[in-house]
Amino acid sequence: MMNSPDKETVKQLQEKLAITSRLVWDYVDESEQMAIMQYAERYKSFLNAAKTERQAVTEIERQAAEHGFVNIDSAGPGARLIFNYKGKALALAVLGTQPLPRGLRIVAAHLDSPRLDLKQYPLYEEGELAFLKTHYYGGIKKYQWLARPLAIHGVVIKENGEAVTLQVGESPEDPVFTVCDLLPHLARKAQTDKKVEDAFVGEKLNVLAGSLPLGDKETKDRFKLHLLNLLSEKYGLTEEDLISAELEIVPAGGARDLGWDRSMVGGYGQDDRSCVFAALEAILTLPEPQYTCLALFVDKEEIGSAGNTSAQSCLLEQVVEGLLARQGESRELWRQILATSRALSADVNAALDPDWPEVHEKRNAARLGYGVCLTKFTGHGGKYQANDANAEYVGWIRRVFKNQGVIWQAGELGKVDEGGGGTIAKFLAALGMDIIDCGTPLLSMHSPFEVASKGDLYMTYKAYRGFFVETAD
């Protein structure tokens, strides 16, 4: 019969062989706690300034310029470069000491978030009230957008080509908008007795925008006309101008500290701007790296990465070709460069919600406060439409995080047959590079008020920074 080891030996074996989850707050000292809190303040400011993909591009470009980044098409030599793509996607590059054919280090995040978009003919009146018709964008729970203050952000292009920027609902003196909901007394047959998907209908997500008439009782559509007149007087717009517009309905108000202990951030758009901001901060002050580093910010992920500013567009190809041209090398090398590159798909994962444990597989679920999350595969069912990172690359990432002092965890998006999701990883993987999803765990993902741990937010930044600077193979 085998002799049982003593308690101390058992303890040592457990520490050596078993994985131990690490709560961020248990493993950071006082100076790093302060850095976490300071990072969160900058992050909240970014969320407030970047509620749409266009605003995110503007804010990223502003901060990059302050840190010495120059336009990739400028005449100067510049080792820190900006590539603005149609105002809705962006790349920042820091040139490394190794030649480009040795590959790049790429952190790629998406700028768009679920929301309501105005239709091309949005303005109408009904019941002597003026409304705006919407079409929801991305995966939302429709009822979460009812009976809450909303703001309008976006741009209108007039017939003469002039761009008019709108932002209404954020300043204290601004009006806000809302989508009305039924009172409980009248909702039983219309909502309560129905399935959620039937009770809340996309065509009823109409934004209440006004109730004053223009003209007398004989005036046709006088409530609608009053709003058109306001738009004309303030912005010089006509109803036809709204056809060439991108106007987004987002929650009004800023990101906030969450909890009495202020340990979390609550706010709109943290999927995926938590990762966007981490990638931005990681590259802004990056010293000259060994490999050329690229922070890539794309659009349209929430609707399948379709469109000419998405991860499936030619953006990445054009950026690499531009880098090659600046160094006098053949543009034809872009495929070789991307195939030898290493990348992080910077995207969030769902944190375990203690009120809904039945949808998670708790042994493989991310948890709030336990660091940045590695997601080896996404997809749904049998890993359908997923990027599934190879074991060698996952092992290398583990070494990077250990070397760089990153607190991390691994997780997947819910139970095998419960649902699933996708990221941009599979589109970049198709170019040959090694890539894995890596981002911040969130509660209430895709809602108008998502929740993140400040510790996890900081570890996301630390992971991306470590990925850029790591030299070990």
Side-chain angles (χ1 to χ4, degrees):
M1 184 175 181
M2 184 178 66
N3 292 328
S4 177
D6 58 57
K7 289 184 178 181
E8 184 60 30
T9 301
V10 170
K11 181 181 178 181
Q12 291 174 358
L13 284 172
Q14 190 170 35
E15 291 176 353
K16 179 180 179 181
L17 300 177
I19 192 168
T20 302
S21 297
R22 296 192 296 164
L23 183 69
V24 171
W25 307 109
D26 289 337
Y27 288 84
V28 294
D29 59 22
E30 186 175 345
S31 64
E32 196 158 31
Q33 288 182 24
M34 185 177 297
I36 288 171
M37 296 303 178
Q38 292 171 345
Y39 177 88
E41 292 305 307
R42 299 193 300 275
Y43 171 62
K44 287 185 295 181
S45 296
F46 178 80
L47 284 182
N48 296 340
K51 282 195 169 182
T52 71
E53 65 281 7
R54 288 180 182 271
Q55 290 173 336
V57 166
T58 299
E59 180 63 16
I60 291 169
E61 193 165 32
R62 182 191 69 79
Q63 292 196 31
E66 289 180 352
H67 285 80
F69 284 75
V70 297
N71 192 287
I72 195 170
D73 297 322
S74 66
R80 308 169 73 80
L81 305 171
I82 301 173
F83 188 98
N84 186 326
Y85 195 67
K86 301 181 183 294
K88 299 182 71 176
L90 191 87
L92 300 179
V94 177
L95 303 183
T97 57
Q98 293 288 337
L100 289 172
R102 293 288 303 276
L104 311 175
R105 296 280 170 84
I106 303 171
V107 176
H110 68 89
L111 299 165
D112 58 319
S113 296
R115 59 180 188 259
L116 304 180
D117 285 343
L118 291 193
K119 291 188 176 185
Q120 279 63 60
Y121 296 102
L123 190 55
Y124 75 101
E125 68 174 66
E126 191 72 43
E128 299 186 327
L129 297 172
F131 293 92
L132 298 167
K133 295 291 294 182
T134 70
H135 192 133
Y136 62 89
Y137 174 99
I140 68 169
K141 290 181 176 178
K142 302 180 189 75
Y143 64 83
Q144 293 179 334
W145 290 79
L146 308 180
R148 63 179 304 130
L150 301 170
I152 299 178
H153 293 239
V155 62
V156 182
I157 306 301
K158 298 169 70 172
E159 189 175 34
N160 63 5
E162 178 188 351
V164 178
T165 300
L166 273 72
Q167 179 174 305
V168 185
E170 300 295 353
S171 299
E173 63 272 15
D174 281 353
V176 295
F177 307 87
T178 195
V179 177
C180 296
D181 195 10
L182 272 177
L183 66 163
H185 313 70
L186 300 179
R188 183 172 63 82
K189 290 183 179 180
Q191 291 177 334
T192 309
D193 292 345
K194 294 181 179 180
K195 293 181 179 179
V196 173
E197 61 185 281
D198 298 325
F200 302 97
V201 182
E203 289 296 349
K204 291 183 181 292
L205 296 177
N206 301 314
V207 175
L208 182 60
S211 65
L212 287 178
L214 181 66
D216 58 24
K217 295 180 180 180
E218 303 301 318
T219 305
K220 182 181 178 181
D221 291 337
R222 58 189 183 139
F223 296 90
K224 171 184 172 179
L225 183 61
H226 184 238
L227 291 193
L228 283 174
N229 189 53
L230 289 176
L231 292 174
S232 175
E233 290 179 345
K234 186 171 181 61
Y235 303 106
L237 299 178
T238 68
E239 186 172 13
E240 186 175 315
D241 290 328
L242 299 179
I243 295 175
S244 52
E246 291 179 5
L247 295 174
E248 302 176 12
I249 307 296
V250 299
R256 303 287 297 274
D257 282 344
L258 184 65
W260 267 320
D261 57 6
R262 297 181 179 269
S263 62
M264 295 166 283
V265 173
Y268 168 70
Q270 298 198 71
D271 176 11
D272 188 35
R273 293 178 195 127
S274 59
C275 299
V276 168
F277 184 69
L280 174 62
E281 287 249 325
I283 204 166
L284 281 184
T285 58
L286 191 66
E288 185 177 53
Q290 181 176 358
Y291 296 93
T292 292
C293 294
L294 189 68
L296 183 69
F297 306 106
V298 296
D299 187 21
K300 307 295 187 186
E301 191 274 344
E302 296 294 357
I303 56 171
S305 292
N308 66 351
T309 51
S310 74
Q312 291 197 83
S313 72
C314 60
L315 168 59
L316 187 53
E317 173 187 343
Q318 289 194 29
V319 170
V320 177
E321 285 185 344
L323 293 175
L324 286 166
R326 288 182 62 85
Q327 296 193 353
E329 299 192 56
S330 170
R331 293 176 179 264
E332 300 300 319
L333 292 172
W334 73 269
R335 286 187 180 275
Q336 174 190 335
I337 291 171
L338 291 179
T340 56
S341 295
R342 290 174 172 170
L344 296 178
S345 170
D347 209 342
V348 299
N349 201 331
L352 176 68
D353 188 332
D355 282 335
W356 299 96
E358 62 270 26
V359 302
H360 300 277
E361 198 274 275
K362 65 180 181 180
R363 295 171 186 81
N364 286 281
R367 289 192 289 168
L368 211 70
Y370 282 78
V372 66
C373 180
L374 280 178
T375 306
K376 186 177 184 292
F377 54 86
T378 53
H380 58 89
K383 300 185 180 180
Y384 185 68
Q385 291 190 336
N387 169 65
D388 194 353
N390 62 61
E392 292 84 354
Y393 191 53
V394 178
W396 182 79
I397 291 290
R398 287 173 54 206
R399 291 195 297 276
V400 170
F401 287 178
K402 182 178 181 180
N403 292 343
Q404 299 296 327
V406 178
I407 297 174
W408 62 278
Q409 58 185 312
E412 62 181 22
L413 191 59
K415 288 183 176 179
V416 173
D417 293 326
E418 192 67 35
T423 68
I424 64 174
K426 61 184 177 181
F427 304 117
L428 301 189
L431 298 170
M433 68 186 71
D434 286 324
I435 188 168
I436 187 171
D437 284 292
C438 177
T440 314
L442 296 180
L443 291 171
S444 296
M445 190 197 299
H446 276 220
S447 78
F449 195 77
E450 297 168 313
V451 177
S453 161
K454 290 182 179 180
D456 296 339
L457 291 165
Y458 183 78
M459 287 300 157
T460 303
Y461 152 74
K462 199 169 179 179
Y464 300 165
R465 172 84 174 192
F467 173 80
F468 280 146
V469 303
E470 179 65 36
T471 59
D473 291 325

